[in-house]
Amino acid sequence: MAPSASDSAAITACLPSAHHGFNARLTMKYISTRGSAPALDFEGVTLAGLASDGGLYVPEAWPQFSEHEIAAMSGLSYVELAVRVMTPFVEGSLTVEELRDLCTRAYGRFSHAAVTPLVQLDQQQWILELFHGPTLAFKDVALQLLGRLFEHFLKQSDDHLTIVGATSGDTGSAAIDAVAGRERVDIFMLHPKGRVSDVQRRQMTTVRAPNVHNLAIEGSFDDAQAMVKRMFNDDAMAASRGGKYRISAVNSINWARLMAQVVYYFAAALQMGAPRRKVAFSVPTGNFGDVFAGYVAAQMGLPIEKLIVATNVNDILHRALATGDYSAGTVTPTAAPSMDIQVSSNFERLLFDLGGRDGAAMAEQMRGFEASKAMQLTNAQREGAARLFASARVDQAGMASAMTWASEQCGYVLDPHTAIGFQAAREAGIAASTPVVTLATAHPAKFPDAVERATGMRPSLPTRVGDLFERTEAFEELPGEYEAVADYVSKHATPSS
Ligand SMILES: *Cc1c(COP(=O)(O)O)cnc(C)c1O
Protein backbone atom coordinates (compact mmCIF):
# COMPACT_ATOMS: atom_id res chain seq x y z
CA MET A 1 0.00 0.00 0.00
CA ALA A 2 3.08 2.28 -0.09
CA PRO A 3 2.18 5.33 -2.19
CA SER A 4 4.24 6.08 -5.27
CA ALA A 5 6.24 9.28 -5.52
CA SER A 6 3.60 10.86 -7.72
CA ASP A 7 0.88 10.05 -5.17
CA SER A 8 2.76 11.90 -2.44
CA ALA A 9 3.30 14.86 -4.71
CA ALA A 10 -0.43 15.01 -5.43
CA ILE A 11 -1.22 14.81 -1.74
CA THR A 12 1.12 17.65 -0.85
CA ALA A 13 -0.43 19.82 -3.51
CA CYS A 14 -3.92 19.21 -2.15
CA LEU A 15 -3.22 19.95 1.49
CA PRO A 16 -5.29 22.83 2.82
CA SER A 17 -2.03 24.66 3.62
CA ALA A 18 -1.60 25.19 -0.10
CA HIS A 19 -4.97 26.92 -0.39
CA HIS A 20 -5.95 28.54 2.86
CA GLY A 21 -2.88 30.26 4.15
CA PHE A 22 -1.87 27.59 6.66
CA ASN A 23 1.85 27.97 6.21
CA ALA A 24 3.60 24.61 6.57
CA ARG A 25 6.08 26.23 8.96
CA LEU A 26 3.29 27.41 11.19
CA THR A 27 1.90 25.29 13.95
CA MET A 28 -1.71 24.32 14.57
CA LYS A 29 -2.48 25.78 17.97
CA TYR A 30 -5.03 24.42 20.41
CA ILE A 31 -6.91 26.53 22.94
CA SER A 32 -8.84 25.54 26.06
CA THR A 33 -12.64 25.82 26.20
CA ARG A 34 -12.23 27.60 29.55
CA GLY A 35 -9.88 30.25 28.25
CA SER A 36 -7.10 30.33 30.82
CA ALA A 37 -4.80 27.37 30.06
CA PRO A 38 -1.83 28.00 27.76
CA ALA A 39 -2.30 27.31 24.03
CA LEU A 40 -0.46 24.14 23.01
CA ASP A 41 0.61 22.47 19.78
CA PHE A 42 -0.63 19.01 18.73
CA GLU A 43 2.11 17.18 20.61
CA GLY A 44 1.26 19.15 23.74
CA VAL A 45 -2.47 18.43 23.64
CA THR A 46 -1.91 14.76 22.87
CA LEU A 47 0.25 14.27 25.97
CA ALA A 48 -1.78 16.62 28.20
CA GLY A 49 -5.32 15.28 27.64
CA LEU A 50 -7.27 17.72 29.83
CA ALA A 51 -6.30 21.42 29.89
CA SER A 52 -4.84 22.78 33.15
CA ASP A 53 -7.87 25.09 33.67
CA GLY A 54 -10.20 22.07 33.61
CA GLY A 55 -11.28 22.76 30.02
CA LEU A 56 -10.88 20.75 26.83
CA TYR A 57 -8.57 21.59 23.97
CA VAL A 58 -9.93 22.52 20.52
CA PRO A 59 -8.11 23.83 17.43
CA GLU A 60 -7.79 27.62 17.38
CA ALA A 61 -9.63 27.56 14.02
CA TRP A 62 -11.22 24.76 11.97
CA PRO A 63 -9.20 23.80 8.92
CA GLN A 64 -11.32 23.98 5.75
CA PHE A 65 -11.44 21.87 2.64
CA SER A 66 -12.98 23.24 -0.56
CA GLU A 67 -15.53 21.20 -2.50
CA HIS A 68 -12.83 20.56 -5.06
CA GLU A 69 -10.41 19.25 -2.43
CA ILE A 70 -13.07 16.93 -1.00
CA ALA A 71 -13.94 15.60 -4.44
CA ALA A 72 -10.25 14.84 -4.98
CA MET A 73 -10.26 12.56 -1.90
CA SER A 74 -12.63 10.11 -3.53
CA GLY A 75 -11.12 6.67 -4.05
CA LEU A 76 -8.21 7.09 -1.62
CA SER A 77 -7.31 4.23 0.69
CA TYR A 78 -8.33 4.72 4.34
CA VAL A 79 -4.74 5.49 5.32
CA GLU A 80 -4.24 8.10 2.59
CA LEU A 81 -7.59 9.69 3.44
CA ALA A 82 -6.60 9.75 7.12
CA VAL A 83 -3.36 11.53 6.19
CA ARG A 84 -5.22 14.22 4.21
CA VAL A 85 -7.90 14.83 6.81
CA MET A 86 -5.53 14.91 9.79
CA THR A 87 -2.52 16.77 8.31
CA PRO A 88 -3.82 20.28 9.13
CA PHE A 89 -4.39 19.26 12.78
CA VAL A 90 -0.85 17.95 13.35
CA GLU A 91 1.04 20.73 11.59
CA GLY A 92 4.12 21.70 13.53
CA SER A 93 4.25 18.37 15.42
CA LEU A 94 4.39 15.64 12.75
CA THR A 95 5.54 15.55 9.14
CA VAL A 96 3.21 14.06 6.53
CA GLU A 97 5.58 11.07 6.30
CA GLU A 98 5.49 10.48 10.07
CA LEU A 99 1.70 10.75 10.10
CA ARG A 100 1.42 8.29 7.21
CA ASP A 101 3.73 5.85 8.95
CA LEU A 102 1.73 5.97 12.20
CA CYS A 103 -1.59 5.57 10.34
CA THR A 104 -0.28 2.68 8.26
CA ARG A 105 0.71 0.80 11.40
CA ALA A 106 -2.44 1.69 13.38
CA TYR A 107 -4.90 0.75 10.62
CA GLY A 108 -2.85 -2.30 9.62
CA ARG A 109 -4.27 -3.83 12.82
CA PHE A 110 -7.81 -3.83 11.35
CA SER A 111 -9.18 -7.03 9.88
CA HIS A 112 -11.03 -5.34 6.98
CA ALA A 113 -8.98 -3.79 4.18
CA ALA A 114 -11.40 -0.85 3.99
CA VAL A 115 -10.93 -0.35 7.79
CA THR A 116 -14.50 1.06 8.19
CA PRO A 117 -16.70 -0.62 5.53
CA LEU A 118 -20.30 0.40 4.71
CA VAL A 119 -23.21 -2.05 4.54
CA GLN A 120 -26.59 -1.19 2.98
CA LEU A 121 -29.69 -2.37 4.89
CA ASP A 122 -32.46 -0.88 2.77
CA GLN A 123 -32.94 1.85 0.16
CA GLN A 124 -32.03 4.63 2.58
CA GLN A 125 -30.31 3.05 5.57
CA TRP A 126 -26.63 2.19 5.78
CA ILE A 127 -24.36 0.88 8.53
CA LEU A 128 -20.77 2.06 8.94
CA GLU A 129 -18.93 -0.82 10.60
CA LEU A 130 -16.39 0.65 12.99
CA PHE A 131 -15.72 -2.62 14.84
CA HIS A 132 -13.06 -4.35 12.75
CA GLY A 133 -10.23 -3.40 15.12
CA PRO A 134 -8.50 -5.72 17.57
CA THR A 135 -11.05 -5.36 20.41
CA LEU A 136 -14.20 -5.22 18.23
CA ALA A 137 -15.24 -1.71 19.33
CA PHE A 138 -15.06 1.62 17.51
CA LYS A 139 -12.71 2.93 20.20
CA ASP A 140 -9.93 1.00 18.46
CA VAL A 141 -10.04 3.45 15.51
CA ALA A 142 -8.84 6.28 17.73
CA LEU A 143 -6.85 4.40 20.35
CA GLN A 144 -4.68 2.39 17.94
CA LEU A 145 -3.45 5.72 16.60
CA LEU A 146 -3.20 7.37 20.03
CA GLY A 147 -0.94 4.60 21.40
CA ARG A 148 1.46 5.15 18.52
CA LEU A 149 1.32 8.95 18.88
CA PHE A 150 2.29 8.61 22.56
CA GLU A 151 5.25 6.39 21.67
CA HIS A 152 6.42 8.75 18.92
CA PHE A 153 6.26 11.93 21.00
CA LEU A 154 7.75 10.33 24.13
CA LYS A 155 10.77 9.12 22.16
CA GLN A 156 11.32 12.65 20.90
CA SER A 157 11.11 14.19 24.35
CA ASP A 158 12.88 11.24 26.05
CA ASP A 159 10.10 10.84 28.60
CA HIS A 160 7.85 8.12 30.01
CA LEU A 161 4.09 8.07 30.44
CA THR A 162 2.12 6.15 33.05
CA ILE A 163 -1.47 5.56 31.95
CA VAL A 164 -3.84 4.83 34.79
CA GLY A 165 -7.50 4.02 34.23
CA ALA A 166 -10.50 2.26 35.65
CA THR A 167 -12.86 0.33 33.41
CA SER A 168 -16.13 -1.49 33.64
CA GLY A 169 -15.44 -3.04 30.23
CA ASP A 170 -14.95 -1.49 26.82
CA THR A 171 -12.43 1.33 27.03
CA GLY A 172 -10.05 -0.76 29.10
CA SER A 173 -9.51 -3.44 26.48
CA ALA A 174 -9.16 -0.97 23.59
CA ALA A 175 -6.62 1.10 25.57
CA ILE A 176 -4.61 -1.95 26.61
CA ASP A 177 -4.42 -3.30 23.08
CA ALA A 178 -3.39 0.13 21.79
CA VAL A 179 -0.37 0.51 24.10
CA ALA A 180 0.69 -3.13 24.58
CA GLY A 181 4.35 -3.43 23.67
CA ARG A 182 4.71 0.31 22.94
CA GLU A 183 7.93 1.83 24.27
CA ARG A 184 7.93 4.46 27.04
CA VAL A 185 4.33 3.82 28.08
CA ASP A 186 3.08 1.70 30.96
CA ILE A 187 -0.61 1.06 31.46
CA PHE A 188 -2.31 0.18 34.74
CA MET A 189 -5.95 -0.76 34.20
CA LEU A 190 -8.13 -1.28 37.26
CA HIS A 191 -11.27 -3.37 36.97
CA PRO A 192 -13.69 -4.32 39.74
CA LYS A 193 -12.89 -7.95 40.56
CA GLY A 194 -15.62 -10.36 39.45
CA ARG A 195 -17.79 -7.55 38.08
CA VAL A 196 -16.87 -7.36 34.39
CA SER A 197 -18.07 -9.91 31.83
CA ASP A 198 -15.80 -12.85 30.93
CA VAL A 199 -15.30 -11.59 27.36
CA GLN A 200 -14.42 -8.11 28.56
CA ARG A 201 -12.03 -9.34 31.27
CA ARG A 202 -10.32 -11.77 28.92
CA GLN A 203 -9.89 -9.08 26.26
CA MET A 204 -7.81 -7.21 28.83
CA THR A 205 -6.06 -9.97 30.75
CA THR A 206 -4.93 -12.11 27.81
CA VAL A 207 -2.87 -9.28 26.30
CA ARG A 208 0.59 -10.28 27.44
CA ALA A 209 3.15 -7.47 27.31
CA PRO A 210 5.59 -6.26 29.98
CA ASN A 211 4.07 -2.75 29.98
CA VAL A 212 0.48 -3.96 30.58
CA HIS A 213 -0.72 -4.28 34.17
CA ASN A 214 -4.25 -5.51 34.82
CA LEU A 215 -5.35 -4.94 38.39
CA ALA A 216 -8.44 -6.70 39.74
CA ILE A 217 -9.58 -4.56 42.65
CA GLU A 218 -11.93 -5.59 45.45
CA GLY A 219 -15.01 -3.38 45.32
CA SER A 220 -17.15 -1.64 42.71
CA PHE A 221 -16.26 0.26 39.54
CA ASP A 222 -16.84 3.52 41.41
CA ASP A 223 -14.30 2.48 44.07
CA ALA A 224 -11.70 1.78 41.36
CA GLN A 225 -12.53 5.06 39.61
CA ALA A 226 -12.10 6.97 42.89
CA MET A 227 -8.60 5.48 43.32
CA VAL A 228 -7.60 6.60 39.84
CA LYS A 229 -8.80 10.14 40.55
CA ARG A 230 -6.88 10.16 43.82
CA MET A 231 -3.68 9.10 42.04
CA PHE A 232 -3.96 12.03 39.59
CA ASN A 233 -4.01 14.34 42.64
CA ASP A 234 -1.37 12.51 44.70
CA ASP A 235 1.65 14.78 45.28
CA ALA A 236 4.00 11.80 45.58
CA MET A 237 2.75 10.15 42.38
CA ALA A 238 1.71 12.77 39.81
CA ALA A 239 4.52 14.74 38.14
CA SER A 240 2.11 17.65 37.60
CA ARG A 241 2.04 17.98 41.41
CA GLY A 242 5.74 17.35 42.03
CA GLY A 243 5.52 13.55 42.08
CA LYS A 244 7.52 10.95 40.17
CA TYR A 245 5.26 9.81 37.33
CA ARG A 246 3.81 11.52 34.29
CA ILE A 247 0.31 10.16 34.83
CA SER A 248 -2.18 10.31 31.99
CA ALA A 249 -5.63 9.06 31.06
CA VAL A 250 -6.86 7.80 27.69
CA ASN A 251 -10.50 8.90 27.87
CA SER A 252 -12.27 10.69 25.05
CA ILE A 253 -11.40 14.16 26.30
CA ASN A 254 -8.10 13.68 24.44
CA TRP A 255 -8.23 15.74 21.23
CA ALA A 256 -6.19 13.20 19.26
CA ARG A 257 -8.93 10.62 19.71
CA LEU A 258 -11.60 12.91 18.27
CA MET A 259 -9.35 13.87 15.38
CA ALA A 260 -8.89 10.23 14.36
CA GLN A 261 -12.67 9.79 14.35
CA VAL A 262 -13.24 12.66 11.90
CA VAL A 263 -11.70 10.50 9.18
CA TYR A 264 -14.46 7.91 8.95
CA TYR A 265 -17.14 10.56 8.43
CA PHE A 266 -15.22 11.61 5.34
CA ALA A 267 -14.70 7.98 4.30
CA ALA A 268 -18.41 7.17 4.49
CA ALA A 269 -19.66 10.41 2.93
CA LEU A 270 -17.24 10.12 0.00
CA GLN A 271 -18.51 6.62 -0.72
CA MET A 272 -22.09 7.92 -0.63
CA GLY A 273 -21.30 10.60 -3.20
CA ALA A 274 -19.96 13.59 -1.24
CA PRO A 275 -19.40 16.41 -1.87
CA ARG A 276 -22.10 16.22 -4.56
CA ARG A 277 -24.64 14.59 -2.25
CA LYS A 278 -25.41 15.24 1.40
CA VAL A 279 -25.46 12.43 3.95
CA ALA A 280 -27.06 12.16 7.41
CA PHE A 281 -25.37 10.25 10.24
CA SER A 282 -26.95 8.60 13.27
CA VAL A 283 -24.55 8.16 16.18
CA PRO A 284 -25.11 6.11 19.35
CA THR A 285 -23.82 8.59 21.90
CA GLY A 286 -22.37 8.52 25.40
CA ASN A 287 -19.63 11.05 26.04
CA PHE A 288 -20.41 13.02 22.84
CA GLY A 289 -16.95 12.20 21.44
CA ASP A 290 -17.93 10.23 18.37
CA VAL A 291 -20.69 12.61 17.26
CA PHE A 292 -18.53 15.68 17.96
CA ALA A 293 -16.07 14.28 15.41
CA GLY A 294 -18.98 14.48 12.92
CA TYR A 295 -19.48 18.13 13.84
CA VAL A 296 -15.78 18.74 13.17
CA ALA A 297 -16.10 17.08 9.75
CA ALA A 298 -18.98 19.44 8.96
CA GLN A 299 -16.96 22.48 10.07
CA MET A 300 -14.18 21.34 7.72
CA GLY A 301 -16.55 21.49 4.76
CA LEU A 302 -18.03 17.98 4.53
CA PRO A 303 -21.69 18.40 3.47
CA ILE A 304 -23.67 16.73 6.29
CA GLU A 305 -27.47 16.97 6.26
CA LYS A 306 -28.01 16.06 9.94
CA LEU A 307 -26.17 14.48 12.84
CA ILE A 308 -28.65 12.40 14.82
CA VAL A 309 -27.64 12.07 18.46
CA ALA A 310 -29.07 8.75 19.65
CA THR A 311 -29.28 8.12 23.40
CA ASN A 312 -30.75 5.32 25.47
CA VAL A 313 -32.92 6.15 28.51
CA ASN A 314 -29.93 8.01 29.98
CA ASP A 315 -31.04 10.91 27.83
CA ILE A 316 -29.34 14.08 29.09
CA LEU A 317 -28.14 14.90 25.57
CA HIS A 318 -31.54 14.36 24.00
CA ARG A 319 -33.12 16.66 26.60
CA ALA A 320 -30.39 19.26 26.10
CA LEU A 321 -30.80 19.32 22.33
CA ALA A 322 -34.59 19.11 22.36
CA THR A 323 -35.35 21.59 25.17
CA GLY A 324 -32.08 23.29 26.19
CA ASP A 325 -32.17 21.60 29.61
CA TYR A 326 -28.79 20.01 30.37
CA SER A 327 -29.37 18.46 33.79
CA ALA A 328 -27.89 15.21 35.06
CA GLY A 329 -30.11 12.55 36.61
CA THR A 330 -28.99 9.22 38.02
CA VAL A 331 -27.64 6.56 35.68
CA THR A 332 -29.99 3.71 34.75
CA PRO A 333 -28.07 0.56 33.73
CA THR A 334 -29.10 -0.67 30.24
CA ALA A 335 -28.14 -3.30 27.66
CA ALA A 336 -26.00 -0.60 25.98
CA PRO A 337 -23.63 0.10 28.89
CA SER A 338 -21.21 2.35 26.97
CA MET A 339 -24.05 4.88 26.65
CA ASP A 340 -25.03 4.76 30.33
CA ILE A 341 -23.71 8.24 30.97
CA GLN A 342 -25.28 11.28 32.60
CA VAL A 343 -22.55 13.85 32.01
CA SER A 344 -21.12 14.00 28.48
CA SER A 345 -17.70 15.59 28.78
CA ASN A 346 -17.23 16.46 25.11
CA PHE A 347 -20.49 18.43 24.96
CA GLU A 348 -18.48 21.34 26.37
CA ARG A 349 -16.51 21.49 23.12
CA LEU A 350 -19.72 22.01 21.15
CA LEU A 351 -21.14 24.58 23.57
CA PHE A 352 -17.85 26.52 23.41
CA ASP A 353 -17.85 26.60 19.62
CA LEU A 354 -21.54 27.54 19.36
CA GLY A 355 -21.24 30.15 22.11
CA GLY A 356 -18.79 32.28 20.14
CA ARG A 357 -15.68 30.62 21.62
CA ASP A 358 -15.81 32.74 24.76
CA GLY A 359 -13.62 30.87 27.30
CA ALA A 360 -14.58 33.04 30.28
CA ALA A 361 -18.31 32.56 29.61
CA MET A 362 -17.80 28.82 29.15
CA ALA A 363 -15.88 28.55 32.43
CA GLU A 364 -18.75 30.38 34.15
CA GLN A 365 -21.39 28.13 32.56
CA MET A 366 -19.49 24.98 33.59
CA ARG A 367 -18.97 26.26 37.15
CA GLY A 368 -22.73 26.58 37.37
CA PHE A 369 -23.20 23.06 36.04
CA GLU A 370 -20.63 21.57 38.40
CA ALA A 371 -22.32 23.23 41.37
CA SER A 372 -25.92 22.28 40.58
CA LYS A 373 -25.56 19.41 38.05
CA ALA A 374 -27.87 21.42 35.78
CA MET A 375 -27.64 24.25 33.26
CA GLN A 376 -29.64 25.88 30.48
CA LEU A 377 -28.18 26.23 27.01
CA THR A 378 -28.05 29.83 25.76
CA ASN A 379 -30.16 30.79 22.75
CA ALA A 380 -27.05 30.90 20.55
CA GLN A 381 -26.10 27.40 21.65
CA ARG A 382 -29.61 26.02 21.10
CA GLU A 383 -30.10 27.63 17.70
CA GLY A 384 -26.60 26.69 16.55
CA ALA A 385 -27.10 23.07 17.60
CA ALA A 386 -30.53 22.85 15.94
CA ARG A 387 -29.03 23.70 12.55
CA LEU A 388 -26.99 20.48 12.41
CA PHE A 389 -28.19 18.15 15.17
CA ALA A 390 -31.34 16.13 15.71
CA SER A 391 -31.74 13.80 18.68
CA ALA A 392 -33.73 10.80 19.84
CA ARG A 393 -34.15 8.76 23.00
CA VAL A 394 -34.53 5.04 22.34
CA ASP A 395 -35.73 2.74 25.11
CA GLN A 396 -35.28 -1.01 25.54
CA ALA A 397 -38.31 -1.82 23.32
CA GLY A 398 -37.08 0.45 20.51
CA MET A 399 -33.63 -1.09 20.68
CA ALA A 400 -35.02 -4.62 20.55
CA SER A 401 -37.32 -3.79 17.64
CA ALA A 402 -34.39 -2.42 15.61
CA MET A 403 -32.40 -5.60 16.29
CA THR A 404 -35.32 -7.79 15.31
CA TRP A 405 -36.06 -5.81 12.12
CA ALA A 406 -32.43 -5.92 10.94
CA SER A 407 -32.15 -9.60 11.70
CA GLU A 408 -35.46 -10.61 10.06
CA GLN A 409 -35.44 -8.24 7.07
CA CYS A 410 -31.73 -8.16 6.26
CA GLY A 411 -30.10 -11.06 8.08
CA TYR A 412 -27.92 -8.43 9.71
CA VAL A 413 -27.03 -8.52 13.41
CA LEU A 414 -26.85 -5.21 15.33
CA ASP A 415 -25.21 -4.82 18.73
CA PRO A 416 -27.35 -2.99 21.34
CA HIS A 417 -25.52 0.36 20.89
CA THR A 418 -25.79 0.29 17.13
CA ALA A 419 -29.44 -0.76 17.41
CA ILE A 420 -30.18 2.44 19.34
CA GLY A 421 -28.52 4.48 16.59
CA PHE A 422 -30.37 2.57 13.90
CA GLN A 423 -33.76 3.01 15.56
CA ALA A 424 -33.09 6.75 15.86
CA ALA A 425 -32.11 6.81 12.17
CA ARG A 426 -35.39 5.18 11.15
CA GLU A 427 -37.44 7.59 13.27
CA ALA A 428 -35.62 10.78 12.29
CA GLY A 429 -37.77 11.67 9.27
CA ILE A 430 -34.84 12.37 6.94
CA ALA A 431 -36.00 12.98 3.32
CA ALA A 432 -35.96 9.73 1.36
CA SER A 433 -33.43 11.08 -1.14
CA THR A 434 -30.79 11.54 1.61
CA PRO A 435 -28.92 8.43 2.71
CA VAL A 436 -28.65 7.85 6.46
CA VAL A 437 -25.53 6.17 7.83
CA THR A 438 -25.68 4.65 11.34
CA LEU A 439 -22.34 4.25 13.05
CA ALA A 440 -21.92 0.65 14.27
CA THR A 441 -19.85 1.09 17.41
CA ALA A 442 -19.45 -2.50 18.59
CA HIS A 443 -19.43 -6.03 17.18
CA PRO A 444 -22.59 -7.89 18.27
CA ALA A 445 -20.51 -10.73 19.76
CA LYS A 446 -19.40 -8.34 22.51
CA PHE A 447 -22.98 -8.35 23.83
CA PRO A 448 -24.21 -11.91 23.15
CA ASP A 449 -26.93 -12.00 25.82
CA ALA A 450 -28.77 -8.87 24.65
CA VAL A 451 -28.51 -9.95 21.01
CA GLU A 452 -29.84 -13.42 21.79
CA ARG A 453 -32.77 -11.97 23.75
CA ALA A 454 -33.84 -9.81 20.78
CA THR A 455 -33.08 -12.10 17.84
CA GLY A 456 -33.04 -15.61 19.29
CA MET A 457 -29.53 -16.10 17.92
CA ARG A 458 -26.27 -16.02 19.82
CA PRO A 459 -23.58 -14.20 17.80
CA SER A 460 -20.18 -15.85 17.77
CA LEU A 461 -16.83 -14.13 18.08
CA PRO A 462 -15.02 -13.55 14.76
CA THR A 463 -12.45 -16.28 14.11
CA ARG A 464 -9.47 -13.98 14.68
CA VAL A 465 -10.47 -13.59 18.33
CA GLY A 466 -12.28 -16.93 18.62
CA ASP A 467 -9.54 -18.42 20.81
CA LEU A 468 -10.12 -15.80 23.52
CA PHE A 469 -11.26 -18.46 25.97
CA GLU A 470 -8.18 -20.65 25.40
CA ARG A 471 -5.64 -17.87 26.01
CA THR A 472 -3.86 -17.55 29.36
CA GLU A 473 -4.89 -14.67 31.59
CA ALA A 474 -2.61 -12.53 33.73
CA PHE A 475 -3.82 -10.08 36.35
CA GLU A 476 -2.88 -8.97 39.83
CA GLU A 477 -5.51 -9.11 42.56
CA LEU A 478 -5.31 -6.22 44.99
CA PRO A 479 -7.39 -5.23 48.02
CA GLY A 480 -9.67 -2.22 47.66
CA GLU A 481 -7.16 0.13 49.29
CA TYR A 482 -5.56 3.10 47.59
CA GLU A 483 -2.15 2.47 49.21
CA ALA A 484 -1.94 -1.04 47.76
CA VAL A 485 -2.63 0.27 44.26
CA ALA A 486 -0.24 3.25 44.54
CA ASP A 487 2.44 0.92 45.87
CA TYR A 488 1.98 -1.47 42.96
CA VAL A 489 2.20 1.36 40.41
CA SER A 490 5.36 2.74 42.10
CA LYS A 491 7.06 -0.65 41.89
CA HIS A 492 6.25 -1.16 38.18
CA ALA A 493 6.13 2.27 36.48
CA THR A 494 9.05 4.26 35.06
CA PRO A 495 9.52 7.76 36.56
CA SER A 496 9.20 10.80 34.29
CA SER A 497 12.56 12.22 33.20
C1 LIG B 1 -17.83 4.45 23.88
C2 LIG B 1 -18.97 3.85 23.14
C3 LIG B 1 -20.07 4.62 22.70
C4 LIG B 1 -20.21 6.09 23.00
O1 LIG B 1 -19.26 6.87 22.33
P1 LIG B 1 -19.02 8.40 22.77
O2 LIG B 1 -17.87 8.85 21.97
O3 LIG B 1 -18.70 8.32 24.25
O4 LIG B 1 -20.27 9.14 22.51
C5 LIG B 1 -21.07 3.98 21.98
N1 LIG B 1 -21.02 2.66 21.71
C6 LIG B 1 -19.98 1.88 22.12
C7 LIG B 1 -20.00 0.43 21.81
C8 LIG B 1 -18.92 2.44 22.83
O5 LIG B 1 -17.91 1.66 23.24
Side-chain angles (χ1 to χ4, degrees):
M1 229 178 5
S4 69
S6 62
D7 282 347
S8 346
I11 286 159
T12 316
C14 286
L15 291 176
S17 51
H19 295 270
H20 296 272
F22 282 92
N23 186 309
R25 280 165 296 136
L26 288 181
T27 299
M28 171 59 92
K29 283 279 178 206
Y30 291 85
I31 56 171
S32 165
T33 52
R34 301 201 191 170
S36 50
L40 296 178
D41 64 6
F42 178 70
E43 173 175 351
V45 295
T46 301
L47 293 173
L50 198 68
S52 58
D53 57 5
L56 306 176
Y57 278 110
V58 291
E60 193 174 45
W62 300 118
Q64 308 268 310
F65 292 117
S66 69
E67 202 179 317
H68 175 75
E69 285 166 331
I70 294 171
M73 295 175 188
S74 151
L76 291 178
S77 69
Y78 192 88
V79 167
E80 287 307 326
L81 179 65
V83 170
R84 285 218 197 161
V85 171
M86 294 193 285
T87 291
F89 293 115
V90 306
E91 255 166 32
S93 294
L94 289 176
T95 65
V96 172
E97 289 69 33
E98 287 167 337
L99 178 62
R100 177 176 295 116
D101 178 54
L102 294 169
C103 289
T104 303
R105 288 190 280 133
Y107 299 119
R109 290 291 313 279
F110 281 63
S111 67
H112 197 295
V115 182
T116 60
L118 273 167
V119 175
Q120 186 166 19
L121 291 197
D122 69 11
Q123 179 60 30
Q124 187 180 20
Q125 303 292 339
W126 299 72
I127 298 284
L128 182 64
E129 294 185 342
L130 303 177
F131 52 67
H132 292 280
T135 76
L136 312 179
F138 91 101
K139 293 190 169 68
D140 289 327
V141 180
L143 286 168
Q144 286 291 325
L145 183 66
L146 185 65
R148 286 163 175 85
L149 286 168
F150 281 153
E151 185 178 56
H152 179 88
F153 289 138
L154 291 165
K155 261 189 209 162
Q156 276 182 348
S157 57
D158 190 24
D159 205 352
H160 275 87
L161 202 64
T162 301
I163 296 172
V164 185
T167 186
S168 51
D170 248 16
T171 315
S173 54
I176 285 172
D177 195 283
V179 302
R182 307 257 81 82
E183 289 173 47
R184 294 166 181 274
V185 188
D186 290 294
I187 185 163
F188 297 84
M189 192 55 70
L190 284 61
H191 70 263
K193 189 181 157 196
R195 299 195 199 190
V196 296
S197 77
D198 287 352
V199 171
Q200 288 182 324
R201 188 193 66 249
R202 284 185 157 273
Q203 280 193 311
M204 297 192 284
T205 58
T206 61
V207 176
R208 307 296 294 276
N211 66 333
V212 169
H213 304 273
N214 277 292
L215 307 178
I217 309 290
E218 297 284 354
S220 68
F221 168 72
D222 290 339
D223 297 336
Q225 179 75 30
M227 288 187 206
V228 171
K229 286 200 176 136
R230 187 163 157 195
M231 199 169 297
F232 276 83
N233 292 314
D234 184 334
D235 297 344
M237 297 294 288
S240 60
R241 310 182 66 96
K244 278 168 82 173
Y245 306 101
R246 184 163 185 172
I247 298 182
S248 173
V250 287
N251 45 22
S252 65
I253 51 152
N254 193 304
W255 166 259
R257 275 184 67 173
L258 301 186
M259 174 191 76
Q261 291 169 220
V262 176
V263 177
Y264 50 69
Y265 285 91
F266 275 86
L270 283 160
Q271 285 209 50
M272 306 298 314
R276 211 172 16 80
R277 189 183 186 205
K278 279 194 168 188
V279 183
F281 289 93
S282 180
V283 188
T285 305
N287 244 327
F288 207 76
D290 204 2
V291 71
F292 186 73
Y295 174 81
V296 174
Q299 305 316 303
M300 294 173 80
L302 190 68
I304 294 180
E305 173 71 28
K306 271 283 175 253
L307 289 169
I308 303 159
V309 174
T311 75
N312 61 22
V313 295
N314 297 294
D315 63 351
I316 179 168
L317 285 168
H318 171 57
R319 282 184 284 117
L321 292 167
T323 70
D325 166 35
Y326 187 80
S327 59
T330 50
V331 175
T332 306
T334 73
S338 298
M339 298 161 73
D340 292 347
I341 280 176
Q342 279 292 349
V343 178
S344 296
S345 6
N346 283 296
F347 200 47
E348 179 172 340
R349 286 187 158 109
L350 178 71
L351 297 181
F352 173 72
D353 207 43
L354 295 175
R357 296 191 150 228
D358 180 342
M362 195 68 234
E364 179 71 34
Q365 199 176 10
M366 291 310 296
R367 263 195 300 277
F369 177 72
E370 276 153 22
S372 63
K373 295 288 163 239
M375 67 186 179
Q376 284 297 318
L377 270 51
T378 65
N379 284 342
Q381 288 167 337
R382 277 190 70 178
E383 286 157 18
R387 275 196 285 279
L388 188 58
F389 293 92
S391 67
R393 169 193 199 269
V394 177
D395 63 11
Q396 169 76 25
M399 178 198 80
S401 105
M403 286 164 108
T404 312
W405 184 90
S407 162
E408 287 176 358
Q409 301 300 313
C410 316
Y412 190 84
V413 186
L414 299 168
D415 102 280
H417 304 80
T418 309
I420 287 168
F422 185 61
Q423 187 65 10
R426 295 207 299 164
E427 289 171 354
I430 304 288
S433 56
T434 302
V436 186
V437 176
T438 297
L439 272 48
T441 52
H443 191 287
K446 289 200 92 165
F447 302 94
D449 297 333
V451 172
E452 189 172 13
R453 246 176 279 131
T455 66
M457 278 176 303
R458 199 167 176 82
S460 51
L461 285 166
T463 43
R464 71 199 153 89
V465 288
D467 66 346
L468 192 64
F469 283 86
E470 279 93 67
R471 295 184 209 154
T472 327
E473 290 189 81
F475 57 90
E476 195 72 30
E477 294 181 31
L478 292 176
E481 288 155 18
Y482 175 73
E483 287 70 24
V485 175
D487 189 52
Y488 187 91
V489 173
S490 303
K491 287 208 173 89
H492 294 88
T494 308
S496 170
S497 50

